Amino acid sequence: MNPFILDPLLAVSGGVVGAGALRLLFRKKVGEYRGHITGLEAEVRAVRQQLAKQDEEAMHLARVRLPALIYALQHGGNLASVSGPLHPQLIETNTGRAHEAVLQQVNDLTSATAEQAEQAARSAVRAVTSSMQALVNELQAANTHLLDREHDATLLALVQPIDHAASQLARRLQILGVLVGMWPGRQRDDASLLDAVRGGVSRIRDFSRVRVPHESPYYVAGRYVEPLVLAVAELLDNAARHSAPTTPVEVSFLQAHNGVSIAIHDAGPGLRPEAREEAARRLSGQHPVRLTELRHPPSFGHLGVGALADRYGFRAMVDEEHSVHGGVRATLFVPSALLASPPAAASSAPLPAEHTASSAPLPAEHTAPVPEAPAWAPHPQEYPAQQQYPVEEKDGLSLPVRRRRFSAHEPRHSRPATETPSPDSGTALAAFIHATQSARAPEEESPS
């Protein structure tokens, strides 16, 4: 073939082949670029999803986990009770570890701050309670000193409400002290269960509504007398305050297989289910009492009874099913380990026939232990360590009458031998008040 014709054909064919190769190469590159773009888009989407999850996790931390942690710390919980992250796959990431570190720091700081606040509150309550108890003890001592020296009916009628109010104030201070770890009072001698209950009756405002049994064969070991008196007083006060002032509050004893129960029946409206559950929780004594977490206004009665029960080994509970008046029955179960054998010389004089349960609101029988001489007395010889007092009847009660003692520094004023004090005399009122003195506790008790 003519070379002049072949060369142009080869040139043309070469050009055609070169253009096709270029097109193939271009398409290949375009495909590769598209693959890279698709990969980049996938990576961008993954990054966006990761950022969205981190944002959601941060919002979950701020709106859910931190508030849940604070709530848990305020109600006795801890970090372990808080829910986990919204996206579990972030736990092992830097974000997850950072969030856990934030929660741990908040937990530690909040716990330390709450503990400092609790200790400060307890220290303040201890200081105020101790100083107030000293003042109340002085007030009660002054009242007793006055009652020992005066028998004017008008004067004693004015002193009795002051004495009774001081007794209630002392009881409330003791309960506050119990809640912050203080001892309720010094160790006593063994006492009858009936005297312990009557001691509790004497420390509440509405003592006249309480009906106690005529007698009881049970005795309480000395270490547990004052805690039991306090617990009974709080339950009686609660029963009286939550029932109509015209209704009675009745106390009964029930012997159990391994102890004795003190049942307190009121005629109130009863308890709502949530209130009954809260009362059971407080009376159990199994939950630590934190002053900084009490409701407003705070309520100390059931908490104090629960603390005493947990510390000394008796049990307290409330229920409505067995209340004889349709209200609430509060029960204190005293195990046999807390009881004592009756003293060999203990004997009870027969009660008069007209001495019914409904007419016996208050303390104390002539067999009640006589209190020791108060340390404040200016003439110690006026207060013998053992003094037996005669019995006087007043409104159906057998009340011990304290004879006035004279010192060598005081002139004696005698009365005619035939003079007999009437039930409404100052002597009878003084006897009524002195009957409550043996149920009171001094400031401190040895923990032994």
Side-chain angles (χ1 to χ4, degrees):
M1 181 175 293
N2 191 340
F4 293 101
I5 298 175
L6 180 61
D7 291 339
L9 288 175
L10 290 175
V12 171
S13 63
V16 172
V17 172
L22 287 175
R23 283 195 295 272
L24 291 175
L25 180 62
F26 179 76
R27 290 173 181 173
K28 180 179 179 182
K29 292 298 183 182
V30 168
E32 291 177 357
Y33 290 147
R34 285 177 177 174
H36 286 304
I37 293 173
T38 302
L40 290 173
E41 290 177 346
E43 291 179 3
V44 169
R45 284 195 299 271
V47 170
R48 287 177 177 175
Q49 291 176 357
Q50 185 77 2
L51 292 175
K53 289 179 181 179
Q54 291 178 357
D55 289 342
E56 292 174 355
E57 196 64 53
M59 296 300 295
H60 183 67
L61 174 68
R63 294 180 177 178
V64 178
R65 300 186 74 191
L66 276 174
L69 173 60
I70 295 173
Y71 180 86
L73 293 173
Q74 291 176 340
H75 294 81
N78 51 38
L79 182 57
S81 60
V82 178
S83 61
L86 184 63
H87 301 287
Q89 61 270 27
L90 296 179
I91 293 178
E92 299 301 327
T93 65
N94 290 334
T95 299
R97 286 188 285 269
H99 288 184
E100 293 300 323
V102 169
L103 289 173
Q104 187 63 53
Q105 291 176 14
V106 172
N107 176 80
D108 296 343
L109 179 60
T110 304
S111 299
T113 303
E115 190 61 31
Q116 291 176 0
E118 179 68 19
Q119 293 302 322
R122 286 177 172 269
S123 178
V125 169
R126 272 195 208 94
V128 173
T129 300
S130 297
S131 61
M132 290 292 292
Q133 280 181 330
L135 293 174
V136 171
N137 288 338
E138 291 181 11
L139 176 60
Q140 290 180 311
N143 284 337
T144 303
H145 187 55
L146 178 62
L147 296 173
D148 282 334
R149 292 181 174 273
E150 300 294 336
H151 293 290
D152 179 73
T154 303
L155 177 61
L156 295 178
L158 295 174
V159 172
Q160 196 274 338
I162 301 174
D163 186 77
H164 189 211
S167 178
Q168 296 176 72
L169 179 58
R171 185 199 88 222
R172 297 186 180 185
L173 289 172
Q174 283 179 284
I175 286 295
L176 275 176
V178 167
L179 292 179
V180 294
M182 298 172 64
W183 297 99
R186 82 176 180 187
Q187 184 170 327
R188 296 173 172 272
D189 294 332
D190 297 349
S192 72
L193 186 63
L194 183 58
D195 284 340
V197 170
R198 285 176 168 173
V201 174
S202 71
R203 300 189 190 187
I204 71 170
R205 179 185 297 274
D206 296 323
F207 60 87
S208 60
R209 293 169 51 195
V210 182
R211 308 292 181 256
V212 298
H214 293 163
E215 58 185 10
S216 170
Y218 311 106
Y219 274 72
V220 182
R223 172 177 171 79
Y224 309 104
V225 173
E226 183 62 19
L228 197 60
V229 169
L230 272 179
V232 169
E234 288 299 325
L235 293 178
L236 286 172
D237 182 66
N238 190 73
R241 285 188 294 107
H242 291 87
S243 57
T246 56
T247 59
V249 176
E250 293 191 357
V251 181
S252 60
F253 301 137
L254 177 65
Q255 183 175 3
H257 175 70
N258 56 347
V260 60
S261 292
I262 306 170
I264 299 171
H265 301 261
D266 67 50
L271 293 171
R272 297 187 304 274
E274 60 272 17
R276 187 166 58 249
E277 292 177 3
E278 178 65 15
R281 186 188 72 83
R282 291 183 169 212
L283 290 172
S284 70
Q286 299 303 308
H287 304 274
V289 178
R290 298 185 65 84
L291 299 180
T292 52
E293 296 174 3
L294 295 178
R295 298 176 179 177
H296 182 76
S299 176
F300 303 112
H302 281 174
L303 287 173
V305 174
L308 288 168
D310 180 62
R311 186 183 300 179
Y312 291 96
F314 53 86
R315 295 201 306 271
M317 62 210 79
V318 293
D319 66 75
E320 298 174 280
E321 297 179 357
H322 300 92
S323 176
V324 296
H325 301 302
V328 175
R329 181 184 72 168
T331 304
L332 277 175
F333 176 72
V334 185
S336 300
L338 278 59
L339 300 178
S341 301
S347 61
S348 299
L351 295 169
E354 66 273 12
H355 188 171
T356 61
S358 61
S359 65
L362 254 188
E365 292 184 327
H366 61 283
T367 55
V370 178
E372 297 178 358
W376 50 265
H379 306 298
Q381 62 268 31
E382 296 185 18
Y383 305 96
Q386 297 294 331
Q387 175 71 34
Q388 297 298 326
Y389 304 123
V391 175
E392 180 177 46
E393 287 294 323
K394 176 176 172 62
D395 298 330
L397 284 176
S398 298
L399 298 176
V401 181
R402 291 184 67 171
R403 297 298 189 192
R404 186 179 178 187
R405 305 285 297 179
F406 296 92
S407 70
H409 307 283
E410 182 181 4
R412 305 190 181 195
H413 302 282
S414 61
R415 292 185 298 184
T418 57
E419 181 181 350
T420 302
S422 66
D424 296 326
S425 67
T427 303
L429 184 56
F432 171 83
I433 299 173
H434 279 303
T436 68
Q437 300 292 333
S438 63
R440 292 176 179 162
E443 292 178 334
E444 296 295 333
E445 171 189 328
S446 170
S448 59

